[in-house]
């Protein structure tokens, strides 16, 4: 029997089986408020990020920026589509928006998670090629090559969800245990575990290995430089090397924050797959939603170039004031290998 601070949620699935879960009303209200706040902040933050990166010339000519924009667009869609629907779900403690939106919700949720991770994979590989194979960087990262990579990222991410969408393998619908729209079993099978491996585990492994390779390569190059380069040679291209290193560190921070946000939800789904502790899933879900909101703050807080890009959009008058000092020169990696995306 539920006490006054909780509710007894009852659902009837297509077979007439009742599923009862006790969710604290304060938890569902808090989740709904978080979803609304995250939606507003996420829409504004990611929209400003996309505009800033498209307008700021120094960042726009970096190939990495194209994939950061892809990541921001993915977060923007999640904030604009999934979070408002999530807020409704927690406020009503039921799905009241119809079958069509119940299929659209998991399509965009899982699709956008895949886009985010594959965009990070593309960023990491871009950083690795820049650092370890600069001789072929300009050949790979042409404007046409970048566009094809972006098309592949978005096409692959949403194509993975075609089987459950059309009902060939699993289906998209309401899970009465959590009153959430997700990937369900059909005829006793579901692609959820396969999608988890292909869309989450594999990209995370690729990103982790790539960053380890980057670290090893940078460390080796730094030792060789200190051992053999003269003082004059160390200064050559020093500004661009520092800029590339800052961007690489920034992208590593983005990936680690993404893992921090999503790992509790993944662990909750594994440890408590029967949803015996609903509050655990609510807290883990809120952390997962935060992943679509925090990136603009990380960009602004950790990288000077991104702060300048934001300032150009938010404070256009002050950003036009000329600064004193020598204008930095750019090395081969930023001028040739990172073509304009306009």
């Amino acid at each position: 029997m539920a006490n006054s601070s909780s509710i007894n949620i009852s659902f009837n699935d297509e077979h007439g089986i009742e599923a009862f879960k006790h969710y604290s009303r304060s938890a569902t209200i808090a989740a709904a408020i978080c979803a609304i706040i995250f939606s507003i902040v996420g829409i504004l933050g990611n929209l400003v990020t996309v505009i800033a990166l498209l307008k700021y010339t120094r960042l726009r000519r970096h190939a990495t920026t194209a994939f950061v924009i892809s990541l921001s667009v993915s977060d923007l869609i999640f904030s604009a589509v999934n979070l408002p629907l999530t807020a409704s779900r927690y406020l009503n403690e039921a799905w009241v928006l119809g079958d069509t939106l119940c299929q659209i919700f998991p399509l965009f949720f899982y699709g956008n998670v895949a886009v985010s991770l594959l965009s990070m994979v593309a960023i990491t590989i871009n950083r690795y090629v820049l650092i370890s194979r600069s001789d072929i960087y300009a050949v790979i990262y042409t404007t046409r090559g970048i566009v094809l990579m972006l098309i592949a990222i978005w096409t692959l991410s949403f194509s993975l969800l075609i089987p459950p969408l059309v009902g060939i393998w699993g289906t998209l619908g309401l899970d009465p245990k959590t009153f959430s729209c997700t990937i369900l079993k059909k005829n006793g099978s579901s692609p959820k575990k396969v999608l988890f491996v292909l869309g989450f585990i594999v990209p995370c492994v690729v990103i982790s290995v790539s960053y380890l390779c980057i670290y090893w390569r940078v460390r080796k190059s730094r030792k060789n430089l200190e051992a053999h380069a003269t003082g004059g040679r160390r200064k050559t291209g020093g500004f661009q090397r520092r800029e590339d290193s800052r961007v690489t560190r920034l992208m590593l921070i983005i990936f680690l924050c993404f893992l921090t946000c999503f790992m509790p939800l993944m662990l909750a789904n594994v440890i408590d797959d029967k949803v015996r502790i609903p509050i655990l899933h609510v807290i883990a879900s809120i952390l997962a939603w935060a992943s679509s909101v925090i990136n603009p703050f990380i960009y602004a807080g950790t990288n000077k170039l991104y702060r300048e890009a934001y300032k150009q959009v938010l404070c256009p008058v002050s950003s036009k004031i000329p600064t004193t000092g020598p204008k930095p020169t750019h090395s081969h990696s930023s001028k040739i290998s990172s073509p304009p995306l306009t």
Side-chain angles (χ1 to χ4, degrees):
M1 187 77 175
N3 58 35
S4 58
S5 65
S6 66
I7 62 169
N8 191 357
I9 303 173
S10 175
F11 294 93
N12 292 313
D13 64 11
E14 58 185 356
H15 301 292
I17 300 173
E18 290 189 337
F20 295 91
K21 287 296 168 184
H22 299 277
Y23 282 84
S24 166
R25 183 55 176 162
S26 59
T28 57
I29 290 294
I33 292 173
C34 287
I36 293 170
I37 293 174
F38 287 171
S39 177
I40 295 170
V41 176
I43 291 171
L44 294 176
N46 288 295
L47 185 60
V48 170
T49 298
V50 172
I51 295 172
L53 297 184
L54 288 173
K55 288 186 65 176
Y56 194 54
T57 306
R58 283 181 64 187
L59 281 172
R60 193 175 66 223
R61 62 189 170 202
H62 286 274
T64 307
T65 302
F67 303 116
V68 174
I69 291 174
S70 174
L71 178 60
S72 298
V73 170
S74 171
D75 289 340
L76 177 60
I77 293 173
F78 183 86
S79 300
V81 176
N82 288 90
L83 288 180
L85 298 179
T86 298
S88 170
R89 179 165 68 91
Y90 277 98
L91 282 173
N92 293 286
E93 294 171 329
W95 186 266
V96 297
L97 301 172
D99 293 338
T100 301
L101 281 177
C102 193
Q103 289 189 323
I104 291 175
F105 181 88
L107 178 68
F108 277 91
F109 180 86
Y110 291 105
N112 278 302
V113 170
V115 168
S116 296
L117 271 169
L118 290 181
S119 296
M120 290 185 217
V121 169
I123 289 170
T124 309
I125 293 175
N126 169 268
R127 296 285 93 193
Y128 176 74
V129 174
L130 174 64
I131 291 171
S132 65
R133 294 300 305 273
S134 57
D135 55 322
I136 63 172
Y137 188 92
V139 177
I140 297 174
Y141 291 97
T142 61
T143 300
R144 182 173 179 272
I146 293 169
V147 170
L148 289 176
M149 291 176 197
L150 292 174
I151 292 174
I153 288 171
W154 284 81
T155 302
L156 177 60
S157 298
F158 284 91
S159 294
L160 291 172
L161 294 163
I162 291 178
L165 179 63
V166 299
I168 297 174
W169 187 13
T171 185
L172 302 180
L174 181 67
D175 181 1
K177 293 186 298 183
T178 58
F179 56 90
S180 64
C181 294
T182 184
I183 300 174
L184 304 175
K185 289 184 178 181
K186 184 178 180 181
N187 299 324
S189 65
S190 165
K192 206 167 187 178
K193 291 183 179 179
V194 174
L195 293 177
F196 175 69
V197 172
L198 294 179
F200 190 85
I201 297 297
V202 171
C204 286
V205 170
V206 172
I207 293 171
S208 300
V209 172
S210 296
Y211 274 118
L212 286 174
C213 292
I214 288 172
Y215 172 78
W216 177 82
R217 184 75 183 190
V218 169
R219 185 180 179 185
K220 182 179 179 181
S221 298
R222 187 174 296 165
K223 286 183 177 180
N224 291 338
L225 190 65
E226 290 174 354
H228 303 291
T230 62
R233 286 179 62 189
R234 279 197 297 268
K235 293 179 181 178
T236 304
F239 172 83
Q240 186 58 38
R241 281 196 299 273
R242 288 193 300 272
E243 186 173 297
D244 288 337
S245 296
R246 283 194 292 265
V247 171
T248 302
R249 283 196 300 269
L250 170 61
M251 296 308 137
L252 176 59
I253 292 171
I254 293 294
F255 171 63
L256 293 176
C257 288
F258 181 89
L259 279 185
T260 302
C261 289
F262 266 93
M263 195 55 67
L265 182 60
M266 300 301 169
L267 292 176
N269 288 333
V270 172
I271 297 172
D272 187 30
D273 60 331
K274 296 186 183 299
V275 198
R276 294 188 179 91
I277 313 174
I279 187 64
L280 179 66
H281 292 263
V282 173
I283 294 173
S285 294
I286 292 173
L287 285 174
W289 306 338
S291 68
S292 65
V293 176
I294 60 174
N295 286 351
F297 296 98
I298 298 173
Y299 298 144
T302 60
N303 191 277
K304 182 179 179 182
L305 287 180
Y306 282 82
R307 283 196 296 273
E308 291 175 358
Y310 286 129
K311 186 177 180 182
Q312 191 176 76
V313 174
L314 300 175
C315 306
V317 177
S318 61
S319 64
K320 290 181 180 179
I321 299 175
T323 57
T324 58
K327 184 177 181 180
T329 58
H330 295 273
S331 69
H332 167 80
S333 64
S334 69
K335 293 181 70 175
I336 297 177
S337 59
S338 303
L341 301 177
T342 55

